[in-house]
Amino acid sequence: MTAGAMNEIRVGIAGCAGRMGRMLLRQTVGHGRCVVVGGSEREDSDTIGRDLGELAGIGSLGLAVGRDPGPVFEAADVVLDFTSPAATACHAGLAAATGAALVAGTTGLDGEQEKAIGDASAKTAIVRAANMSVGVNLLLALTRRVAATLGPDFDIEVLEMHHRHKVDAPSGTALALGRAAASGRGVDHDDMADRGRDGISGERRRGAIGYAALRGGNVAGEHAVIFAADDERVELVHKATDREIFARGALAAAVWLRGKPPGLYSMADVLDLRA
Ligand code: NAD
């Protein structure tokens, strides 16, 4: 084996025909150290048997979409999984059985499905994050830090804007930012959260963590955490213009996982933001 091949990271993609899956295919192929070794889809997908590269619009890769994820996990050093909660729980078991590392990005898992990931992490290394963007994870760490430094004279407001099709508010990322602020300040988030104001809502409660959600256009995702005191204001802002940022973060996690011992890791570990 050449030094280059030894350094290479063999990547499998579960849910390879999905929006994230196709992006991950394109980014893995364009990545200097990673090589695609397989992709799987749900059994009844009409993409089964199609060429992975053709699917992603990048020409033939000579690999077909599989209905059985087993061979993908066997061939891969790391599998990127952006599928469905049930599929991700099942894939965690396969990662444990084969020793492949796992980047688990699927959201909406219930307690039992999250437990399946936790159990599998006793046998293999897993990065689990509901938002894999490097910038958003940095924003979370900064929010915790700033909230810890600025006292309760600074009112905390979390503002987010998303496209007109989003059905939930505030966004999961906005709530994660509010929780990061609460943990930095050493208070209970759910006690302090103020999730909606309308009409005569009264004066601002001291120490509240307020939320506001805007909807419109095709905005991929914008978040701001505002710390407002008398006479000064600190604002932390992140603006996403494309979902590619999640795929880039997933690839960064895949590279970071190389050689890691079994365990459940987060993007804070990948980005060394724990301090
Ligand atoms: P999508 O519906 O476009 O893609 C999901 C794909 O998974 C589909 O092609 C589906 O057929 C496939 N799939 C379902 N069951 C499967 C199985 N058993 N085996 C193999 N493939 C299976 O959705 P999407 O927008 O790509 O998002 C997928 C998931 O990733 C969602 O839960 C979404 O919320 C999450 N997500 C997370 C992040 C992050 O940063 N962590 C970013 C974007 C999306």
Side-chain angles (χ1 to χ4, degrees):
M1 198 185 282
T2 65
M6 279 171 67
N7 212 12
E8 200 168 78
I9 299 165
R10 292 168 297 177
V11 174
I13 299 172
C16 56
R19 280 170 295 180
M20 285 300 295
R22 289 174 205 237
M23 264 182 208
L24 289 164
L25 276 169
R26 286 192 291 274
Q27 289 206 10
T28 307
V29 168
H31 192 287
R33 278 188 68 193
C34 297
V35 55
V36 177
V37 293
S40 65
E41 258 297 329
R42 66 189 152 72
E43 276 179 6
D44 59 344
S45 168
D46 57 11
T47 61
I48 299 291
R50 281 187 60 191
D51 185 274
L52 289 179
E54 304 281 357
L55 197 64
I58 49 175
S60 171
L61 283 180
L63 293 165
V65 179
R67 67 159 54 83
D68 177 4
V72 177
F73 279 81
E74 271 153 27
D77 296 313
V78 55
V79 174
L80 311 178
D81 182 342
F82 291 74
T83 55
S84 71
T88 297
C90 162
H91 292 154
L94 274 173
T98 58
L102 184 68
V103 176
T106 308
T107 59
L109 275 67
D110 64 22
E112 204 142 299
Q113 290 159 337
E114 289 290 356
K115 184 174 176 302
I117 294 183
D119 290 349
S121 71
K123 297 262 172 57
T124 193
I126 300 180
V127 170
R128 173 87 186 108
N131 189 318
M132 298 245 166
S133 145
V134 170
V136 163
N137 282 281
L138 180 60
L139 186 69
L140 284 164
L142 290 171
T143 297
R144 191 173 299 113
R145 179 72 218 278
V146 173
T149 301
L150 300 177
D153 288 343
F154 282 80
D155 299 325
I156 301 175
E157 294 281 304
V158 183
L159 176 66
E160 56 106 336
M161 178 159 187
H162 284 86
H163 51 86
R164 62 171 75 92
H165 303 295
K166 187 164 178 63
V167 294
D168 55 318
S171 69
T173 299
L175 288 167
L177 287 164
R179 288 198 187 93
S183 102
R185 194 169 257 188
V187 297
D188 184 80
H189 171 264
D190 294 351
D191 282 351
M192 300 320 292
D194 184 352
R195 291 178 55 160
R197 301 184 186 112
D198 187 23
I200 312 292
S201 56
E203 277 195 15
R204 193 180 201 285
R205 182 161 62 110
R206 185 170 164 83
I209 296 174
Y211 288 90
L214 313 182
R215 295 287 174 266
N218 66 347
V219 176
E222 298 188 4
H223 294 88
V225 186
I226 301 164
F227 298 82
D230 287 349
D231 310 322
E232 64 177 332
R233 206 155 80 213
V234 176
E235 299 186 357
L236 303 174
V237 181
H238 179 265
K239 296 184 181 184
T241 53
D242 198 294
R243 286 161 51 102
E244 292 276 352
I245 58 173
F246 305 125
R248 274 203 288 277
L251 258 296
V255 171
W256 180 85
L257 273 167
R258 177 161 202 125
K260 289 288 179 299
L264 188 56
Y265 302 100
S266 72
M267 286 303 283
D269 297 307
V270 174
L271 301 171
D272 201 13
L273 294 170
R274 279 267 173 234

